[in-house]
Amino acid sequence: MPLRRKTFVTDSGIPIPDVVTLADRKTESPDAIGLPGQFPFTRGPQPTMYRGRLWTMRQFAGFGTPEDTNKRFKYLISHGMTGLSTAFDMPALMGYDCDHSMSRGEVGKEGVSVSSLADFEVLFDGIQLDKVTTSMTINASAIVALCMYIAVGEKQGVPMAKLAGTIQNDMLKEYIAQKEWIVGPRPAVRIVTDMIEFCTKNMPKWYPVSVSGYHIREAGATAVQELAFTLADGIGYVEECVKRGLDVDEVAPQLSFFWDVHNDFFEEVAKFRAARRIWAHVMRDRFGAKNPRSMQLKTHAQTAGVSLTAQQPYNNVVRTALQAFAAVLGGTQSLHTNSLDETYALPTEESVTIALRTQQLIAHESGADRVVDPLAGSYYVEYLTDEMEKRALEYIRRIDEMGGIIRAVEEQYPQKEIGESAYRFQREVEQGDRLIVGVNAFKSDRDAPIELLHIDEKVAEAQMARLAKVKSERDQKAVDAALAKVEAAARGTDNLMPPVLEAVKAYATLGEISDVFRKVWGAYREGGAF
């Protein structure tokens, strides 16, 4: 039969042969694929993978007041969630307190509202921090959030050395894609490096950076661009740590990665495999790492929020299931599944339960947990793995030639590349070359109504009242002294973690500490990239 179209390509534009055969793979090196748990870790970072331990099942939770989110945490834990994942509202992400004029209309809307240690105390009330792992999705003000978490742990009698989890803290990604910042790229990376150094020495169970491709992909990048720019960010952080005199084998094992999982099933599986192989070679061959843990790329994954549609929202359950299955076959260590209603609002308890059940069905009924890297040796998957690796390495080579990822970000190279890909994708949708079920194909006259979660404006009132109480009861002299130490460290070279931790314990607010950074380094504004 004649082909439906002249050429077939992946979502990243990789040509797909009519059929891939053994003859096409005759030059394949067994060492390039290897075995699970062995260099170059193409088949997974652990020898037994899910036969030994299932991936951590996380559900992103955070909305309204700390009381609201605390209740959702406990609900999810009771339904089988094995790790907390915390979303913060826009004011917290941008370094503003709930009572700031820039926070109006946004308090508690897209994540939990936090302004001081008092909010963190409520957020984790009744949750034993030595019994759970916690992920916190926050970047520009991540140093404040981590210090608040440490302080809450100490109040529970849990020393920081026993705290386990991840904080996103990937500022390079912010300038590339998500656009949530306080100061410019170089001082922001300095703060990140301080956090890596501190955690390396004091928090062995904590990942101080989750190098995030997720937001790069959500901004419109292809899978290849997500792979390349994310690994380039990781390389950039390692370079900054090595410049500071840190040993790569101390730093690299405490870096984790965070990938988007989109709709092109086999390309997504190949992306995970290519990422592990590239990272292993870069750590060994470029940085001289000796510890195998330095070469193991550990990763969290989240299904693609940008792929969800407001039209026919129940289709999103199917999209999420396919994406989650790709992440598992790709070998993720941790997974979040999106909820069907997230194009409208933060998820309801019912929709987030369906999302969690999706993971549990894959884990316990699909058989995917019984075999390690089941798609290894597939002619097509190995072809895609090689092609993604080759294309990603070309991007990384160009970034190296520009002087590294920080310089590339300042010149807005990744931003421009992503913008072009996003434009190309949208044109394909509008011209009908790319079909989105329920959007430009198989449309229905009306969609069934779904229940939505609404955040009342009373949330802002409650949060501002708590903040006012904190400010009236704290020792203002201690706060001022602590903030002065933060400023001195920012102007000098001392690690910022100890003075920020001291300020947090004195109940200095997230906004007050962020204002110190703005005072020292100036607020950042980005020009347009076209």
Side-chain angles (χ1 to χ4, degrees), residues 166-486:
T166 307
I167 193 160
Q168 192 165 98
N169 195 29
D170 179 4
M171 282 309 301
L172 288 170
K173 165 266 304 177
E174 291 297 323
Y175 303 102
I176 292 173
Q178 198 170 12
K179 314 301 183 183
E180 293 166 2
W181 51 60
I182 295 172
V183 296
R186 291 189 185 274
V189 171
R190 179 262 169 105
I191 297 173
V192 173
T193 309
D194 280 356
M195 295 173 67
I196 295 172
E197 181 180 34
F198 183 88
C199 291
T200 297
K201 296 176 179 177
N202 299 285
M203 303 179 71
K205 296 183 178 181
W206 193 267
Y207 291 100
V209 179
S210 177
V211 189
S212 176
Y214 186 85
H215 305 93
I216 291 173
R217 188 64 174 281
E218 295 285 291
T222 66
V224 168
Q225 289 171 335
E226 177 194 2
L227 175 61
F229 297 146
T230 306
L231 292 177
D233 287 349
I235 291 168
Y237 294 128
V238 173
E239 285 177 337
E240 291 302 304
C241 290
V242 170
K243 286 178 188 176
R244 187 173 288 194
L246 298 175
D247 188 330
V248 65
D249 283 322
E250 292 179 337
V251 172
Q254 285 193 266
L255 298 182
S256 66
F257 287 78
F258 175 25
W259 304 104
D260 197 298
V261 198
H262 217 287
N263 288 331
D264 192 334
F265 186 88
F266 294 104
E267 185 173 61
E268 294 303 313
V269 172
K271 180 180 71 183
F272 285 86
R273 304 175 85 251
R276 287 192 292 267
R277 190 155 72 201
I278 294 172
W279 186 252
H281 279 285
V282 166
M283 287 300 104
R284 187 191 70 176
D285 304 337
R286 180 166 174 169
F287 290 100
K290 302 290 193 298
N291 185 350
R293 290 185 63 241
S294 301
M295 308 170 205
Q296 294 172 342
L297 184 145
K298 284 86 61 179
T299 190
H300 172 66
Q302 180 175 338
T303 57
V306 74
S307 74
L308 305 181
T309 63
Q311 301 92 331
Q312 302 178 22
Y314 288 102
N315 292 346
N316 295 333
V317 177
V318 182
R319 291 186 178 100
T320 296
L322 288 170
Q323 293 163 6
F325 197 46
V328 169
L329 295 185
T332 190
Q333 280 68 67
S334 172
L335 179 62
H336 163 87
T337 34
N338 290 328
S339 300
L340 67 94
D341 50 359
E342 289 191 57
T343 52
Y344 291 99
L346 294 171
T348 63
E349 285 190 353
E350 181 180 8
S351 66
V352 81
T353 302
I354 293 172
L356 178 59
R357 293 289 181 259
T358 301
Q359 294 201 49
Q360 292 165 337
L361 284 164
I362 293 171
H364 302 293
E365 296 187 25
S366 73
D369 64 312
R370 302 169 199 169
V371 61
V372 179
D373 192 20
L375 295 184
S378 157
Y379 302 145
Y380 180 48
V381 170
E382 299 298 354
Y383 163 78
L384 283 182
T385 302
D386 290 349
E387 288 296 312
M388 295 195 76
E389 179 182 26
K390 178 175 69 177
R391 286 165 167 76
L393 286 173
E394 177 60 23
Y395 269 118
I396 292 171
R397 182 190 63 77
R398 279 182 248 167
I399 290 168
D400 287 340
E401 289 176 351
M402 296 174 72
I405 187 62
I406 299 177
R407 184 62 185 157
V409 166
E410 290 173 336
E411 294 185 9
Q412 301 190 46
Y413 169 65
Q415 296 93 309
K416 293 172 185 175
E417 290 290 307
I418 294 168
E420 289 180 11
S421 294
Y423 174 75
R424 198 160 47 242
F425 180 94
Q426 188 61 31
R427 288 275 294 180
E428 291 173 1
V429 172
E430 292 174 359
Q431 293 173 353
D433 296 328
R434 181 185 296 271
L435 300 185
I436 309 294
V437 175
V439 177
N440 65 348
F442 313 108
K443 295 185 283 187
S444 59
D445 294 332
R446 62 186 183 89
D447 292 324
I450 60 174
E451 182 183 352
L452 299 179
L453 178 69
H454 295 280
I455 307 299
D456 197 290
E457 286 301 324
K458 291 180 180 178
V459 167
E461 296 172 9
Q463 285 301 100
M464 286 190 285
R466 185 181 357 247
L467 181 57
K469 185 173 185 292
V470 167
K471 288 182 176 180
S472 69
E473 294 178 351
R474 69 188 183 180
D475 182 343
Q476 190 60 44
K477 288 185 178 180
V479 171
D480 294 339
L483 291 175
K485 291 180 182 178
V486 173

